[in-house]
Amino acid sequence: MVCPGMNMLGMFSFRVCAGLVGCRIGICVRSLRSCPGITVAQIDEEVAKLLELKAQLGGDDGKHQFVLKTAKGTRDYNPKQMAIREKVFNTIISCFKRHGAETIDTPVFELKETLTGKYGEDSKLIYDLKDQGGELLSLRYDLTVPFARYLAMNKITNIKRYHIAKVYRRDNPAMTRGRYREFYQCDFDIAGQYDPMIPDAECLKIVHEILSELDLGEFRIKVNDRRILDGMFAVCGVPADKFRTICSTVDKLDKMSWEDVKNEMVNEKGLSEEAADHIGEYVSLQGGMDLAERLLQDQKLSQSKEACAGLSDMKLLFSYLQIFQVTDKVVFDLSLARGLDYYTGIIYEAVLTQVGVVPAPVSTEAQNGAAEETVSVGSVAGGGRYDGLVGMFDPKSRKVPCVGVSIGIERVFSIMEQKAEASAEKVRTTEVQVMVASAQKNLLEERLKLTTELWNAGIKAEVMYKKNPKLLSQLQHCEDSGIPLVAILGEQELKDGVVKLRTVATREEVDVSRAALIEEIKRRTSEI
């Protein structure tokens, strides 16, 4: 798959070669389109790279040419995409509010020292800003660390909050796989001293509700506990100073094979092969409450007080999840690690599974993936308990126990957009309820008067910005935009004090008195 003026690098990345300067972008695009397996999105991404390179090299006349494009790792959203996003946001916010959360907001950038040392190996992805007035600043990496800083700064010890905002990662973007440098996160967190596992179970219930309501397809929620992981590392012979870095490697098991993970542990991070093999025996295990009970009797793992505490809480968690009626989607998975340094207890991650593949029962144990029938197609939510994070900011190191979850909204949007494209259903980009139209000329002022009455009554109304639009054009606009009703004015209607109300879908028309029009429109639109 070779295109003019470019060498193949990976699958769709290209090196700059000597022939690229003279290569015309149009030729490259036509060549790309002739290559099998390349999507339009991938072509657009490569064209953007070419345009950026062309701007750097200068135009044919040697002068710099301004290129209209979004920054690498970012994108624009058209009205149709925004309508889908708004629907998703509304579903998520509705769920958060149903569970009693209030909302806050924090600055898009923080002091660099606030973010430093909180994300383990991912700290290299923090966006640092230029020194401004003696303050070293960075763009927020997530919403959790700013939340912890907010709690410590305001001496808050109890709050249930949600926060929806953009975060930034200095990542290598892969737009076609939903990896961006700027994206939204939707966080729900419970801070405060409560009895074990009750808030944790509610967070998992929230994930279950949101994914079920969005109807994204089959999903599973994997749970584990950092205390179990640390206890497992200890009994397997991992040095204490390697816990976090080995945890980051285990976290890659959803993307890499065990052989590759083991190779990284042994050859890159200096772990003994024997210790790696012991870890491999544990991280292959999956199940439910029964697995927690069995591991409590495990000869090696039971030697760790930390692991036993985590396993006891895991049993308690599953008892609450049974009451919440979500155990059909939750699995205790010892391979789940989540690489962020601030987690201290329960951790969880929701993954979508391929349509048509039946999830393995969560009550059965899977050895080496033998009973694992699902195929992961991407994480859409994750979170856990972070009891020590607030204390890192508090001058007196006072701890505020916290647990929360973050919805991976960009991947959700991508799936919802794909579903909208696949279906024949139109996506409405406005919420207009009625179009005020006229059947004859010289009725602009009357249309504007009626539109004003509707606006003042709280009805979403629209009028064409022409003095004498054709009735057919006005009706066609309603069909194209999905506007359900048309209020038609004519000379006779004005004399009779009525408005002809037309239902766009059925084309049925009825005369409604001007005095009763507002109530009639409200009644009809409430039924739609």
Side-chain angles (χ1 to χ4, degrees):
M1 188 165 60
V2 181
C3 299
M6 289 176 283
N7 295 325
M8 185 171 70
L9 178 62
M11 186 173 287
F12 300 113
S13 300
F14 302 93
R15 287 195 188 97
V16 179
C17 65
L20 184 59
V21 178
C23 176
R24 292 198 177 273
I25 291 173
I27 297 174
C28 291
V29 173
R30 286 194 292 275
S31 300
L32 276 169
R33 285 175 177 157
S34 67
C35 296
I38 300 182
T39 67
V40 173
Q42 290 161 342
I43 292 174
D44 290 343
E45 189 172 343
E46 295 307 321
V47 168
K49 293 178 184 177
L50 288 170
L51 289 171
E52 184 178 11
L53 183 59
K54 183 180 177 184
Q56 294 170 1
L57 295 172
D60 296 335
D61 57 359
K63 295 180 180 178
H64 174 77
Q65 293 185 349
F66 182 72
V67 178
L68 286 172
K69 64 182 289 293
T70 59
K72 186 164 63 172
T74 66
R75 62 178 289 198
D76 293 322
Y77 295 91
N78 61 39
K80 183 178 178 181
Q81 291 167 328
M82 286 304 297
I84 294 170
R85 290 168 77 87
E86 193 171 56
K87 180 181 178 182
V88 173
F89 277 140
N90 289 340
T91 299
I92 293 171
I93 291 172
S94 175
C95 179
F96 289 164
K97 288 184 175 181
R98 185 163 61 245
H99 286 264
E102 50 195 346
T103 190
I104 68 166
D105 195 12
T106 61
V108 73
F109 46 79
E110 297 274 351
L111 294 177
K112 183 178 178 179
E113 63 182 351
T114 299
L115 306 182
T116 302
K118 312 300 189 303
Y119 303 106
E121 293 182 3
D122 284 345
S123 290
K124 63 182 181 291
L125 303 181
I126 295 173
Y127 257 117
D128 292 331
L129 302 178
K130 188 177 179 181
D131 181 8
Q132 296 289 338
E135 286 190 333
L136 293 177
L137 307 173
S138 299
L139 293 176
R140 61 187 173 202
Y141 178 90
D142 66 2
L143 300 178
T144 306
V145 171
F147 174 56
R149 189 267 308 153
Y150 170 85
L151 294 181
M153 197 172 103
N154 293 282
K155 296 180 174 57
I156 297 171
T157 56
N158 289 274
I159 189 174
K160 185 188 291 186
R161 82 88 169 88
Y162 73 90
H163 189 187
I164 297 178
K166 287 183 177 181
V167 298
Y168 300 86
R169 307 275 170 93
R170 194 169 55 83
D171 205 351
N172 188 24
M175 308 287 278
T176 54
R177 297 197 299 273
R179 290 175 66 92
Y180 301 96
R181 289 182 163 183
E182 176 195 63
F183 55 94
Y184 273 99
Q185 280 191 343
C186 299
D187 281 20
F188 174 96
D189 293 85
I190 301 172
Q193 188 72 52
Y194 302 107
D195 286 340
M197 296 296 107
I198 302 173
D200 310 66
E202 184 172 11
C203 286
L204 292 170
K205 172 66 172 174
I206 285 169
V207 175
H208 189 282
E209 286 181 8
I210 289 172
L211 296 184
S212 298
E213 193 170 345
L214 290 176
D215 192 24
L216 300 174
E218 288 295 321
F219 66 90
R220 297 181 76 185
I221 305 171
K222 300 187 290 185
V223 298
N224 200 0
D225 194 297
R226 266 293 172 82
R227 294 167 297 174
I228 299 173
L229 280 168
D230 287 351
M232 177 185 74
F233 292 150
V235 301
C236 289
V238 179
D241 61 349
K242 288 185 181 292
F243 278 13
R244 291 287 75 87
T245 186
I246 295 300
C247 189
S248 294
T249 301
V250 171
D251 192 40
K252 299 175 183 177
L253 274 170
D254 60 337
K255 305 179 187 71
M256 294 164 52
S257 67
W258 166 248
E259 288 74 20
D260 291 334
V261 167
K262 178 183 175 181
N263 180 65
E264 182 176 313
M265 287 180 181
V266 175
N267 297 327
E268 294 182 29
K269 299 190 174 179
L271 190 67
S272 70
E273 192 162 335
E274 183 183 6
D277 288 336
H278 285 322
I279 291 172
E281 294 172 8
Y282 283 112
V283 297
S284 64
L285 302 177
Q286 294 183 356
M289 187 187 293
D290 58 336
L291 177 58
E293 290 172 345
R294 177 173 174 175
L295 289 174
L296 280 169
Q297 306 302 318
D298 183 85
Q299 189 173 3
K300 284 195 298 185
L301 204 56
S302 61
Q303 296 173 14
S304 168
K305 290 182 179 180
E306 198 173 20
C308 288
L311 288 166
S312 296
D313 276 350
M314 188 65 67
K315 284 180 60 180
L316 184 60
L317 175 71
F318 268 89
S319 70
Y320 294 141
L321 294 178
Q322 287 177 345
I323 297 170
F324 285 156
Q325 301 176 356
V326 297
T327 49
D328 60 317
K329 298 293 186 183
V330 182
V331 58
F332 175 22
D333 186 337
L334 267 76
S335 71
L336 179 65
R338 296 195 63 80
L340 298 179
D341 277 2
Y342 52 65
Y343 288 124
T344 58
I346 192 81
I347 52 176
Y348 35 82
E349 185 172 88
V351 294
L352 296 183
T353 53
Q354 288 182 356
V355 177
V357 182
V358 180
V362 299
S363 59
T364 61
E365 194 174 309
Q367 289 282 355
N368 299 319
E372 175 65 5
E373 300 177 14
T374 60
V375 182
S376 171
V377 295
S379 169
V380 290
R385 177 161 287 280
Y386 51 101
D387 289 349
L389 189 56
V390 177
M392 295 175 70
F393 298 110
D394 192 281
K396 297 182 179 179
S397 300
R398 288 171 295 200
K399 290 186 177 182
V400 178
C402 296
V403 65
V405 65
S406 180
I407 308 297
I409 203 71
E410 299 300 338
R411 192 179 292 271
V412 171
F413 287 148
S414 178
I415 296 165
M416 297 291 282
E417 285 175 25
Q418 290 172 20
K419 288 180 67 176
E421 289 294 332
S423 70
E425 185 181 352
K426 278 188 175 181
V427 176
R428 283 201 67 188
T429 57
T430 74
E431 296 183 5
V432 176
Q433 297 166 300
V434 60
M435 176 84 176
V436 179
S438 57
Q440 285 114 17
K441 293 182 178 181
N442 303 318
L443 293 175
L444 174 61
E445 291 186 3
E446 295 298 334
R447 282 190 290 133
L448 295 179
K449 286 178 185 177
L450 180 54
T451 304
T452 302
E453 290 177 23
L454 298 178
W455 285 339
N456 290 344
I459 292 172
K460 297 165 186 173
E462 191 175 31
V463 64
M464 273 201 159
Y465 305 135
K466 282 189 175 183
K467 282 189 175 181
N468 299 305
K470 293 180 180 178
L471 181 59
L472 187 60
S473 298
Q474 297 170 88
L475 297 178
Q476 186 63 49
H477 174 72
C478 293
E479 291 195 8
D480 293 342
S481 304
I483 300 172
L485 299 172
V486 191
I488 304 173
L489 291 173
E491 292 177 358
Q492 190 60 49
E493 283 78 12
L494 290 170
K495 288 179 183 178
D496 296 342
V498 299
V499 174
K500 195 176 293 295
L501 196 60
R502 177 186 176 99
T503 303
V504 174
T506 62
R507 302 186 179 182
E508 295 177 0
E509 296 179 347
V510 60
D511 287 342
V512 180
S513 70
R514 190 73 170 252
L517 179 64
I518 288 172
E519 287 305 315
E520 180 63 17
I521 290 173
K522 287 183 177 180
R523 184 186 67 81
R524 292 196 183 200
T525 52
S526 67
E527 296 172 355
I528 295 173

